[in-house]
Amino acid sequence: MAAERTTLRIGLAGLGNVGAGVYKNLEKNRQLLTERTGAHLEVRRIAVRDLARARDVAVPAEMLTTRWQDLVEDPSLDIIVELIGGVEEARALVTAALKAGKAVVTGNKALLAEHGKELIQLAEQQNKPLYLEAAVAGGIPIIKAVREALVGNHINAIYGIINGTSNYILTRMTTLGLSFEDALAEATALGYAEADPTLDINGWDAGHKAIILAWLSYGHWLRPAEVTVTGIENISLTDVGFARRLGYEIKLLGVIRQDGGGLVEARVQATLIPKKHILASVSGVFNAVAVHGDVVGETLFYGSGAGQDATSSSVIADLADAAENLSNELGSNGFIPHGDTGKAKPIEDTVSQYYLRLRVADTPGTLARIATLLAKRNIGILSVIQPDPEEGDTQSSGTAHLVLTIHDAAFGNMRAAVDEIEAFDCTLEKPVLLRMETLGS
Ligand code: HSE
């Protein structure tokens, strides 16, 4: 029996971008991995959708099957790696694998965000590990960092740039003036975007990761309906320009934190962050996650957030853990079975600073009217700029931009104020309201 334990027999479900990377890099660093883990990490079977498809890795044809059930039902396999994507079929696969007594690795953030609670419970019942390092921030080992290295901390807050595709698009648009479509096409060609990039663009890929980080930090699975997510589709270069003038960059930012009463806040929104904070200089496909712990203070994790090699590095790390656990009866189960008593904080009650851009009639009294309304709602103004007419296309005759920054205010109150301002006859366009985060704990 001891000899058997020196080999981790892997069934790989999915040989797309990340699956091919896992296969390729297990081969590439085979010897190193054996030396470090004391085990052979061997892919024995691979499930694919289409046997005939051309691939950028050479795999022995006899390993391939079109049925993932063949992997789950194969008693010789120790672990199943789920990289097929999607939700329902992946859920069936992971469920069946755990029930068959296999350990499981998944990089599927949508699956975990929707069904993580049930799958983790099943893993606990089966006493089998469910590993998920690749589900958040690509190659950054953020799951291990929070779960293991920061285990002695209450997590005060996490701020993360956790979607590589949208960060890449924002960077290309703002530094090279590329169109949204061209920048997205580049991100797709580079293998950063999901098969369906809708989730990258509308913020939900990051939203799913925020749900996982909230669970990791607070032990509570938020439902997707409890998470506020808006993407980068409506970010204009006008707002990027004003933000910079104010000393900020606009990033798609995940905010995960718990208030003093235990309510958990998780949201992903295009957000102004101070240029002087290191997160503001995270560009291209890179992700970064700032974790504030009550013992450690602020920590920052940075690296490639998407792509074949970076993401496969995280899957391989999980496989190495699994290999260790196979030969260590007391090994970690790879998940945190701590409490599930949290509650979501209603978005109306979440507090931040704001950026508000208005296009208004350039007449006396307009600013006073807006300031009076905000004062009536007890909302404080941090700064106001009214750009000069010579500032290019930001002005046209008889109209003016007003760009206000606003002190901390509850979102419900702020939104109500903006609705009232929008209804003023001097307001000529839909106001742009964005969050500003100071990124403190
Ligand atoms: N499409 C994702 C991203 C891949 O761009 O971040 C990693 O989850």
Side-chain angles (χ1 to χ4, degrees), residues 58-81:
V59 294
E62 62 275 14
M63 269 193 198
L64 298 179
T65 170
T66 54
R67 296 180 70 249
W68 56 257
Q69 290 85 350
D70 289 345
L71 276 48
V72 169
E73 291 160 10
D74 183 340
S76 76
L77 296 179
D78 302 303
I79 188 159
I80 305 297
V81 180

Side-chain angles (χ1 to χ4, degrees), residues 109 162-165 192-194 200 205 209 305-306:
K109 48 258 160 179
I162 46 178
N163 181 263
T165 300
Y192 303 153
E194 299 298 302
D200 292 305
D205 176 80
K209 294 167 184 167

Side-chain angles (χ1 to χ4, degrees), residues 173-193:
M173 284 173 66
T174 54
T175 57
L176 291 182
L178 253 61
S179 71
F180 185 93
E181 291 70 25
D182 288 349
L184 172 58
E186 281 188 0
T188 304
L190 289 165
Y192 303 153

Side-chain angles (χ1 to χ4, degrees), residues 6-19:
T6 60
T7 299
L8 182 75
R9 296 155 302 190
I10 302 163
L12 181 58
L15 198 59
N17 188 38
V18 178

Side-chain angles (χ1 to χ4, degrees), residues 10-137:
I10 302 163
L12 181 58
L15 198 59
N17 188 38
V18 178
V22 171
Y23 189 87
K24 178 184 78 177
N25 289 313
L26 278 174
E27 289 291 307
K28 177 171 177 254
N29 288 346
R30 168 185 292 279
Q31 191 179 341
L32 176 75
L33 281 160
T34 303
E35 285 167 8
R36 284 189 174 159
T37 64
H40 300 292
L41 274 55
E42 284 188 12
V43 176
R44 294 275 175 96
R45 295 204 82 179
I46 304 175
V48 296
R49 278 190 220 291
D50 178 3
L51 292 174
R53 191 176 138 191
R55 301 175 196 286
D56 55 6
V57 284
V59 294
E62 62 275 14
M63 269 193 198
L64 298 179
T65 170
T66 54
R67 296 180 70 249
W68 56 257
Q69 290 85 350
D70 289 345
L71 276 48
V72 169
E73 291 160 10
D74 183 340
S76 76
L77 296 179
D78 302 303
I79 188 159
I80 305 297
V81 180
E82 182 279 304
L83 294 172
I84 64 172
V87 174
E88 284 314 318
E89 193 176 9
R91 179 187 185 191
L93 191 169
V94 172
T95 302
L98 289 169
K99 284 188 173 164
K102 315 282 189 204
V104 173
V105 175
T106 181
N108 191 329
K109 48 258 160 179
L111 171 68
L112 291 163
E114 288 183 32
H115 301 292
K117 185 171 180 173
E118 113 202 359
L119 294 175
I120 295 288
Q121 276 173 355
L122 179 62
E124 286 177 11
Q125 279 161 17
Q126 297 295 114
N127 200 25
K128 287 291 160 192
L130 173 58
Y131 300 97
L132 44 102
E133 185 63 68
V136 182

